[in-house]
Amino acid sequence: YSKQKSISDWNEEHVSSWLQAIGIKPEHIWKLKAEEVTGPVLLNINESYLKKLGLGGGQIQLLLSKRDELLLLDKSKTIKKRGENREEAKHEVVSSSDVTSPEQPLLSSDLTETSVSLPQSRYRKLNDNDEHFSYIKHAILPPETGIDNLITPCHEYKSLENACKLEPRKLKIKFASEVIRFACACMNMRANGTIHFGVMDKTKTSYKHGEIIGIPIEDKEIFQEALDYIEKCFPALHSDARKCIKTPKFIPIVDKGSQTQNWIVEVDVVPMVNIVRDKLYSAHIPKFNEKTNKIEYEQKAYYQRVGPNTPRITEDELVSFSQALKDLDQKREQEENSQNQTQAHFKEDLERKLLVLLTRGKKYMDNTLRYILVSNRFDQENLQNIKFLVQMNIFCVFDYDPDSKSSGLCHNYKEHHAVNLHFLHDYDHRENTVDLIKKLQLFDRTSWIFCNGRSDYNGGESPCDEKTWIKTKKKLLKRSVSVICNEILPKGSFVVLFIHTHITLQFKSISSPVIRMGVYLGHEDIVIISVSREIYKKWSSLAQVSCLLDILEQISVVGMPMSHINATIQVHQLTCHQDGCLPVSNNGVCFIKSVDVERMNSLEVVCVDQCDETNVDLMEQEQIQKIEQYFYQGGKIDWVNMWLADNNKCEEVIKRDAYAEISKMLEDLERSDSLKRSIENINIYHEPGSGGSTVARQILWNWRKKMRCAVVKQSYQATTVCEHAVQIWNYEEVDKNACLPVLLLLEDCNADYQDDLRRELSNAVTTMKISPSKLCFIILCCKRSLDPERMCTALPLRTVGVTHKLSPAEKKLFSKKAGSLKLKFEPEFILTFVLMSKEFEQSYITGFVENLLKEIDHSSLQTQLIKFVALLNSHIENSYLSISHCEAFLGLGIHLDKFDKMAKPSTSTWIDELKSSETHISSVRIIHNLIAKEILKQLSSYQSQSEIAMSLLQDKVLFDHRFGRDDFRKFVRDLFIKRTKKSKGDPNDSWFSPLIEHVRETEDVEKAIDLLKLAYTSFDEDAFVAQQLARLLNENKNFEEAEIWAKRAKSHLPQHIYILDTLGQVYKKWFYSKHDAICKKNADIQPEDITDIIDTALKGITAFRESEKCPQSKMVCLNNSYFGEVDIGCRLLELLSNVDIFSTKEGKRELMDYLLTDYIPEEVQKPWQRFHGLLKGMKDSIRIALECISDDLAHFQNFTSEEEEELAEGEPETVNNPRKWLLRKSAVYAKLFFHDIQEDEASDANIVSPLMRQMKIFQLGGGNVTTILYLLSDNNKQRAGAKLEKIIDLFPVNLKKDLDQTGLINFIFCQIALSCASPGSGKLHSIEELQNISRRFCSEKRTALPDTAYLLLSILFWPEDSMGKEPSNTRSDIVMNAIKALQRYSEIKSASSRKGRIFTHFFLGKARGLNKIVHKTTIEKFCKGTLSERRLKWQGGEVWTNPDVVKVLKRVTGYTENGNLFVRVSDQSNIRVIPLFSASLPNSNENVAFYLGFSLHGVVAFDIKVAE
């Protein structure tokens, strides 16, 4: 056996054969083959890889143990062989590792129990001229046969292994002699037969008996001409022989590894009774005489078939054989007749087969399965019959027709459905699966994948030939299939449907990878429809390389025309495709095409005739019960559930009291007299499990005939949702001012998204010039909250709370309903409903969980699974575990019913649900988070939450499981880092994730620390986990370790603003701790005592400064690090002032000298030598930090309401009222730098040094724009005026000479603020004086001014007279230049959406002089209501209709051009104005009027109206 190979030399065929021999399931063998598992791969294969491929635990165990046995055999074999020669080796028993090369397979007798078995093959049908039939090399044909009945052919094999190398003449003789002997025997036996050349007949070689080897053929004529010997061999009856012996058939052999083509030559013999009746045939067999070099003929002889052999009939047998011929003729005749009858009668029930394959055994086709369609070219006739495809739930199409978009299947399908056109490379992604689904919109529209280019596409994806396709696209196809079937769609949730209607030139090249795709999936997921037997034959001959022909037959529907398929499937489809209906303003309805609905894919539109297309007669009662049961078990209510209830096919769904409240609100809004806004909000806050989302959906369902209704899919941006909402609003409507309102349901969205959507809709309404009091959109926002009653106080008239508490009327309804449901369902199937009717009483929950856990086996895998899910569900909202993960964990195979059988009986708390519109993963969760919490509580004596979390983190199976991996990892990661927020409806704002909070409070801080350490490694050294750990250690005052972890987080993300901030916070707390410790001692503090403390403080300041300088900090409104820097800086300066040498009055002055000049006292020279530079810069650095905070606050609005935006990853806690904090800290900072000035000293400006004066101004709140303007928020304007007068007194008399730029800006702002607080004050300068002072800014051309200076110039110089009569051009130039400068600043500043809204400080009033400047607080005073209501008034534009506001503010005239708004400030110059809120621009070029606001972004416009 020189060619015998060790495992490392095996190819895929060898591995497949071995796998078959050891008993691995065929579907797994195909997968491993498709994955190109060769010998070297087999040697290194491991358990996790096999799990990813979907092998069950048992199969993996078998494969790995047999592989290890194989390795031992292979090693011993190698050692043995070294000392043996070739002859000895021949007699050795071959071990399982001795699989030969394809050319040298094994002897059948050589195989041990772990031996290799080769694939079985089947015969070509007798006398069938199927040109597409082929054999696979090394497949095994059944053993040679004798005669069973006369019609079923007998078979004889000849290898021609040596003869095929002979010269043509000799080969011809050899072939003829074998054919004629065999044919003579068959004719005498009256039996059909086939002789095969190229198939192993003897077993003395390394090949198996019946193994297909094939022969190389250069000239087919040799074999065809060989039959010309018939005349000489059958001299008397040669015409009979010609009729019975058919021409040779040449069957190609498929051999992937070979470059040369081999063939099997087959000759059929069919002795029809009308030819052979009463005749006995003899033949002269030809043979070649080597000596004479001539052909000779043997003597006449008669032949017969005895078993698989063809011996002569001896003279002794001849008489009896001749006598038996009559009976044989009779038998032959009978069998020929009966065969004709069976052929006429046998018909496969294709309708049933088609339905069973497509529905997996259901009686009807619904949307539970998704279909992946693989198609080739459709001709026009077949395109008329695709309605059944239009009504199927098609996920994606692999289309090999390059013209499909212009004239093929895609073109026709697009008339009914919206599709996304893709190429194979679109699926070759590197992002996570969720992002890919989002990017390609995979569950919103059918993805149409052009596998061989697109002829109508300009982007360079042209069709290609076979070679190019294999080179460029084959791998991409495999990748696409793998992504869709292994990462996106769960196993068992889809069927791959191949439709063959046409054969194209490229069919062969394309077929192979497509079949491989089928192999890759496993045949149970595949259905093949071939409209003709011809196409099927061609396809199956190529497909048999990867899939046995018998299996292909089982999954194929062959010979059914498209028109029949179309009609047959439609009869069994649960829903028929039709256009929907929408209500219209004239009380009628209009049709909306389904393709239009699908194009609005950010909305789930609820039509008037929603679900009417459902064929309820097809639905079984069991299916209807399943829909109901899903809802009563805690699932989200389905539209079809409400439709069935309306049609009395199932129980009615209870309406909670909140339903009537919301209906009343909608009725009020509908009444035209009540309207104020074009966009209204209604909020529903509900406790989880109280039925709030059901109420919201019932509202949509029952209002769908009066309004246009839709559910918003929040995976889409607000701009897209707005665009689609507007399309549905005016669809088929003539008069835009008469359109019905659109009711949009937003479920569990954050406040920002709601605001963005509202703003977009508002802009759209204004753009379309709709009357502002016309109701266009109602946003019904449904949010979970643990305290719905508290949330209602924000907008009491437009908010409804739904709690677990039932009203007396609801209690009656619920108990009656519970009674009727108990008759219909098992108690565990209506558990959520029962809990709800019991108002989620703690005692009931406790009892229920006790009962559940009574019999539980704490060591079982099922129990461990329940613990994991309970842990996730009790802490992470909307979390779940995919069924695929559960099966992997329990070591089950692929199928869902296995999980049901295995896990379901162990607990009635599961609910299976098809996950959100984004991932569509079948998953499990516990029916309610209160149950989940109770399970954890009662299990705590067996296993604490920290121990469960530890086990979860250490579970390699769950972590490595490929399907649904992104979601799983996100949920588990959130367990450790996601904090709660009141604004999200949580009971409190937590400092850590709820799990970590629980462990550190009820178990032990050390356990929480260990958990986070393990999480850090489990999530590949996640920087944010390290950050949480640093925060936990910091909180626990374990500062050294906290520093290590914060630095570790920084090493992963060195430029991350929040991580750098955390490092700063660690040092800050550490510094505070050291500071407090030294102050407690009450001893004199020496400079050397605090060296270490100063070091820690300065490290903190350095970390905060790094955070401030981060590129990311530009994207964040109010960088927390500035607050940290100021806090540390002020506390450090205070500490320095307590040091012994600086603690006296003289010492204070010395400290000031030290901090503000080059002077260094001797006592601190050495101990603080590392810090002198940083300490001397403290005064300026703190002032700069305060200014940065002031700057951000002056630029951007920050609503400090309950509804703050969700914390981003790692974001620190923020200061609650930053303006108030700034005022307070400015005072603290100022106090550190001046000694107490006596009252009389303060009034004499000459005595006080400029520094002292500056610090006193700071202390009173005059140090920056934000604190000055914050003084105006005091409701007592007199008090605010008095403070401002006091500040103004502190400024020097000669403003121009004695004030720097910042001082001058602050002085003018104090003047403007004073005019707003106390217009009659004697300290006020006139506007002309202020204009004069501020001209100094205009002269400072070289230096860049702060934007606050430009804001002042734009306010002071804004022309008071009508725009046309401009007294001085210089004045308009000043305004122009100032506003342009602000707009330049603003473009840099607000590059980020995270920064928030523009802050408008002042408005232009009707008065003159300084009184024309109206501060925002004046307008705010006129708006009554809660913070949320006031926000709505600003956003909805109601502020501008308030009579008090109208009285005070002045409308400015301007014009619009190309979508921009301008105001003219002189004949030559105009200024661009930014429109704010719903003050969106008209589309056309119009004259407009609006209210003008002044901000640091330039001038802004409110309430834009087209001028009459």
Side-chain angles (χ1 to χ4, degrees), residues 1103-1151:
F1104 283 135
R1105 281 185 195 159
E1106 277 185 40
S1107 168
E1108 291 155 17
K1109 287 184 188 126
C1110 254
Q1112 211 184 353
S1113 68
K1114 294 188 182 71
M1115 313 290 279
V1116 176
C1117 189
L1118 283 189
N1119 185 344
N1120 212 43
S1121 299
Y1122 289 118
F1123 294 90
E1125 183 180 350
V1126 172
D1127 282 337
I1128 293 186
C1130 291
R1131 179 88 64 113
L1132 177 59
L1133 292 177
E1134 188 194 318
L1135 176 65
L1136 297 186
S1137 67
N1138 290 333
V1139 172
D1140 193 27
I1141 60 161
F1142 300 135
S1143 55
T1144 61
K1145 196 167 185 181
E1146 278 306 306
K1148 284 274 182 295
R1149 289 182 195 276
E1150 193 175 2
L1151 176 60

Side-chain angles (χ1 to χ4, degrees), residues 236-260:
L237 297 166
H238 59 79
S239 66
D240 287 1
R242 275 284 182 197
K243 287 175 193 165
C244 295
I245 302 169
K246 306 299 175 186
T247 52
K249 311 254 183 326
F250 299 92
I251 317 293
I253 287 184
V254 181
D255 180 10
K256 278 195 300 184
S258 171
Q259 298 299 313
T260 56

Side-chain angles (χ1 to χ4, degrees), residues 141-360:
L141 285 170
E144 291 171 291
T145 55
I147 291 162
D148 180 18
N149 64 51
L150 304 181
I151 299 300
T152 306
C154 59
H155 293 273
E156 185 163 308
Y157 304 149
K158 297 294 169 195
S159 72
L160 292 194
E161 198 179 2
N162 299 317
C164 68
K165 298 167 192 164
L166 297 171
E167 59 176 279
R169 197 159 57 120
K170 291 178 184 174
L171 176 59
K172 197 187 289 184
I173 294 293
K174 171 69 177 161
F175 179 75
S177 65
E178 296 294 353
V179 170
I180 284 159
R181 184 186 291 110
F182 178 74
C184 181
C186 289
M187 288 153 74
N188 283 334
M189 302 299 289
R190 309 305 195 238
N192 293 344
T194 303
I195 183 165
H196 307 257
F197 295 90
V199 179
M200 293 313 295
D201 51 338
K202 40 189 188 300
T203 55
K204 289 176 184 147
T205 66
S206 58
Y207 294 111
K208 284 188 174 184
H209 181 250
E211 188 172 339
I212 293 167
I213 302 304
I215 50 177
I217 294 179
E218 286 172 20
D219 184 1
K220 290 182 182 175
E221 284 183 5
I222 294 172
F223 297 92
Q224 287 157 346
E225 289 167 3
L227 295 194
D228 292 345
Y229 288 103
I230 287 175
E231 275 70 16
K232 289 180 181 170
C233 297
F234 294 97
L237 297 166
H238 59 79
S239 66
D240 287 1
R242 275 284 182 197
K243 287 175 193 165
C244 295
I245 302 169
K246 306 299 175 186
T247 52
K249 311 254 183 326
F250 299 92
I251 317 293
I253 287 184
V254 181
D255 180 10
K256 278 195 300 184
S258 171
Q259 298 299 313
T260 56
Q261 178 65 63
N262 276 14
W263 304 80
I264 299 286
V265 185
E266 297 182 342
V267 179
D268 293 332
V269 181
V270 186
M272 299 298 286
V273 71
N274 58 352
I275 300 170
V276 297
R277 196 190 299 274
D278 299 333
K279 295 172 189 169
L280 180 64
Y281 295 93
S282 63
H284 300 276
I285 304 297
K287 63 177 187 182
F288 189 81
N289 188 326
E290 293 285 351
K291 288 177 187 167
T292 62
N293 202 22
K294 286 183 181 172
I295 299 162
E296 294 173 356
Y297 293 89
E298 290 179 3
Q299 281 188 344
K300 180 174 83 169
Y302 299 91
Y303 292 92
Q304 61 176 338
R305 286 289 286 172
V306 178
N309 302 312
T310 309
R312 290 183 182 192
I313 303 172
T314 60
E315 284 184 20
D316 302 344
E317 297 168 318
L318 202 53
V319 177
S320 57
F321 192 88
S322 303
Q323 288 167 348
L325 282 179
K326 210 168 204 56
D327 292 341
L328 279 174
D329 287 342
Q330 204 176 343
K331 193 179 175 194
R332 173 83 196 188
E333 191 167 19
Q334 282 168 356
E335 288 189 19
E336 277 181 20
N337 292 336
S338 68
Q339 185 205 9
N340 294 337
Q341 281 173 354
T342 23
Q343 278 177 340
H345 285 128
F346 176 72
K347 274 208 178 84
E348 203 177 3
D349 182 351
L350 290 180
E351 178 187 4
R352 187 171 182 282
K353 185 176 185 182
L354 183 64
L355 190 67
V356 167
L357 288 172
L358 284 178
T359 64
R360 294 240 171 93

Side-chain angles (χ1 to χ4, degrees), residues 1212-1376:
E1213 298 295 309
T1214 45
V1215 174
N1216 275 341
N1217 187 335
R1219 288 179 172 79
K1220 196 173 182 177
W1221 179 94
L1222 186 64
L1223 189 64
R1224 201 180 66 244
K1225 277 293 173 191
S1226 297
V1228 170
Y1229 163 68
K1231 203 166 179 214
L1232 292 167
F1233 282 98
F1234 74 92
H1235 55 87
D1236 295 325
I1237 305 170
Q1238 303 307 314
E1239 279 304 312
D1240 56 336
E1241 278 183 48
S1243 56
D1244 187 349
N1246 297 323
I1247 304 172
V1248 185
S1249 76
L1251 172 69
M1252 294 301 132
R1253 196 186 303 111
Q1254 186 195 4
M1255 289 299 147
K1256 185 69 183 171
I1257 291 170
F1258 240 101
Q1259 192 189 15
L1260 294 171
N1264 55 53
V1265 178
T1266 304
T1267 50
I1268 294 167
L1269 298 181
Y1270 180 69
L1271 293 172
L1272 290 176
S1273 62
D1274 191 336
N1275 289 330
N1276 183 335
K1277 291 294 176 201
Q1278 234 175 337
R1279 184 165 59 207
K1283 275 186 192 167
L1284 285 161
E1285 285 178 346
K1286 208 169 174 186
I1287 293 169
I1288 286 169
D1289 279 341
L1290 285 166
F1291 283 96
V1293 181
N1294 189 340
L1295 294 165
K1296 283 189 180 176
K1297 186 175 155 219
D1298 296 342
L1299 268 186
D1300 63 0
Q1301 206 181 66
T1302 311
L1304 193 58
I1305 291 169
N1306 291 344
F1307 174 76
I1308 300 172
F1309 268 113
C1310 287
Q1311 284 283 323
I1312 292 173
L1314 181 58
S1315 82
C1316 294
S1318 175
S1321 166
K1323 305 277 182 188
L1324 280 174
H1325 290 224
S1326 69
I1327 192 162
E1328 288 77 17
E1329 287 176 288
L1330 294 179
Q1331 282 171 346
N1332 262 335
I1333 302 166
S1334 61
R1335 279 183 194 276
R1336 173 174 144 190
F1337 300 137
C1338 308
S1339 60
E1340 295 181 13
K1341 287 267 177 6
R1342 297 268 170 90
T1343 54
L1345 292 170
D1347 35 13
T1348 42
Y1350 292 121
L1351 174 61
L1352 279 178
L1353 291 172
S1354 65
I1355 295 171
L1356 293 172
F1357 287 92
W1358 188 268
E1360 286 172 36
D1361 313 293
S1362 66
M1363 291 288 130
K1365 300 169 192 165
E1366 175 56 50
S1368 120
N1369 264 349
T1370 55
R1371 201 168 181 192
S1372 62
D1373 287 347
I1374 291 171
V1375 174
M1376 283 263 310

